[in-house]
Amino acid sequence: MKRVVAWLALLCLTCFAVQPAMAQSMLRDAETEAWLSDISRPLFQAAGLSPANAKVVLIQDPSINAFVAGGQIVYIHTGLLDAADSANQVQGVIAHEIGHIVGGHAVFQNDGGYTNISILSLLLGVAAIAAGSPEAGTGMMMMGQRAAMGKYLAYSRVQESSADAAGARYLGTAGISGKGMLGFFNKLTKQMHSYGYYSTSPEVDPFAQTHPMSQQRVETLTADLQANAAWNKPINQDFETRFKRIQAKLRGYVNEPKATLRLYPPSDESLPAHYARAYAYHKSGYPDQAAAETSALVKAAPNDPYFLELEGQILLESGKPAEALAPLREATRRSNSQPLIAATFGHALIATEDKANLAEAESVLRQAVARDRENPFAWVNLGTVYDRKGDQARTALATAERSNLVGDTRTALISARAAMNGLPQGSSDWIRAQDIMMVSQTAMEEDKRNKRRGN
């Protein structure tokens, strides 16, 4: 929480300049993405948005946060999934953020550009107060910017109230209980109170808040949510079961191993506990213990593609690519060639250093990038296959694809030109290379213009 509020203080001091969402670390996981898609689909539909064009993206960040930053994308921090008590609470957060999307709140044209709308931007001054500097928190609102900020803050409060109301409607339309939404706001209120921070505190200027205080938002929402026919509807138990698994694996992956093992001690024989410990042991360099936890998962559910994926991943990253092939091949098959899983399988095929596996690797990886072009890891591996086959033109194209995704404009431009020189003119690959070249060239020219303006 201190990290969140400290960030809010920085937000104030930098005149609302925000790091672009794509500059943050996106965390991709097949199981988590499938779950986020399933729990958000009815909410997007209730809001009149097509699930094919809208999505929820996971950001690796321990702060409890979610935001939108333009387009039809909701960004959720891993810290929020760690802190949430249920899938229904996460749905409440997503519903609120969709309210921002539909309301067009991510773009502040009158304020000179783009900014993020954050569910935890409760107020600006509390950032420094909770970080241990009450003087800075109260003084912040006395800065010369205060008059200019007033309009923005009032606008933000209206947006938050609007997103709350819209989120409540979407939950009701989708037939999803609003108890999770209410529960999450109660959680935020308790966290604020844990810092000794109340709406009646003398250091709180209610007019300097970007959002209504959490408790006020809870009170406003309660009547509407409870009046909805979906209020007492049972929550989706499949979503909840999957949430506990995903929460455990994320904790094992992103948290310190000691913290994970305290939360999921060896005495806990549940599937989520085995999941968390497998990642914790693997992360801390104990391959035998990690393998034992994974074996317990596969034994309990031998056809689960995500358990098989983990088994293969641990074997692969332990230097045993040949042994990893069987579980990864089965995981790919049972997941209907899910692109992220298939990309790992393709990598394992390459890692065996067996030329006999190159044809299968190419087939698997080409299918993976056809279904998900936004996977730099898959493009790197496909480029490796082409390089080993001596196909330098397509090696360059794969490099251009990967560089374009990660924002390496110069490499993307050079590689795209090299690909065009070696590919049949007018072919689909040549046209794709031309597209990347044109986009990269435009981006580089724009960057040069911006630098000249800065000088």
Side-chain angles (χ1 to χ4, degrees), residues 6-18 115-116 121 124 152:
W7 177 79
L8 293 173
L10 179 62
L11 177 69
C12 174
L13 293 171
T14 55
C15 303
F16 316 115
V18 180
T115 188
N116 292 348
S121 298
L124 296 173
Y152 168 83

Side-chain angles (χ1 to χ4, degrees), residues 302-326:
N303 297 325
D304 189 303
Y306 305 118
F307 293 165
L308 290 165
E309 176 196 20
L310 177 58
E311 181 182 32
Q313 179 186 345
I314 288 176
L315 287 168
L316 174 61
E317 294 176 3
S318 298
K320 303 174 182 178
E323 294 178 39
L325 294 184

Side-chain angles (χ1 to χ4, degrees), residues 185-312:
F185 279 118
N186 278 323
K187 179 183 287 287
L188 299 187
T189 302
K190 289 178 182 178
Q191 290 206 359
M192 292 178 67
H193 291 174
S194 71
Y195 286 102
Y197 199 81
Y198 299 83
S199 59
T200 56
S201 299
E203 67 269 19
V204 179
D205 180 351
F207 296 102
Q209 298 170 9
T210 60
H211 300 30
M213 294 290 289
S214 287
Q215 187 57 43
Q216 293 172 333
R217 291 165 71 177
V218 170
E219 292 170 357
T220 301
L221 276 173
T222 299
D224 289 343
L225 289 171
Q226 290 182 345
N228 195 286
W231 174 255
N232 287 316
K233 185 173 180 178
I235 60 176
N236 187 310
Q237 290 301 321
D238 175 62
F239 289 169
E240 298 299 329
T241 299
R242 291 164 66 189
F243 168 69
K244 290 302 181 185
R245 281 178 44 159
I246 287 163
Q247 186 181 54
K249 76 185 293 187
L250 285 175
R251 285 170 172 171
Y253 180 76
V254 304
N255 295 343
E256 287 298 319
K258 288 183 179 179
T260 301
L261 295 175
R262 281 196 302 269
L263 196 58
Y264 299 96
S267 58
D268 187 344
E269 292 292 330
S270 66
L271 288 181
H274 284 301
Y275 225 172
R277 291 196 299 268
Y279 277 98
Y281 285 133
H282 183 55
K283 182 178 179 179
S284 53
Y286 292 96
D288 292 341
Q289 290 89 330
E293 298 292 349
T294 307
S295 295
L297 291 170
V298 174
K299 182 178 180 180
N303 297 325
D304 189 303
Y306 305 118
F307 293 165
L308 290 165
E309 176 196 20
L310 177 58
E311 181 182 32

Side-chain angles (χ1 to χ4, degrees), residues 16 124 141 146 148-158 207-211:
F16 316 115
L124 296 173
M141 294 301 101
R146 180 166 182 170
M149 288 167 56
K151 232 181 195 182
Y152 168 83
L153 296 174
Y155 185 40
S156 180
R157 289 193 295 271
V158 170
F207 296 102
Q209 298 170 9
T210 60
H211 300 30

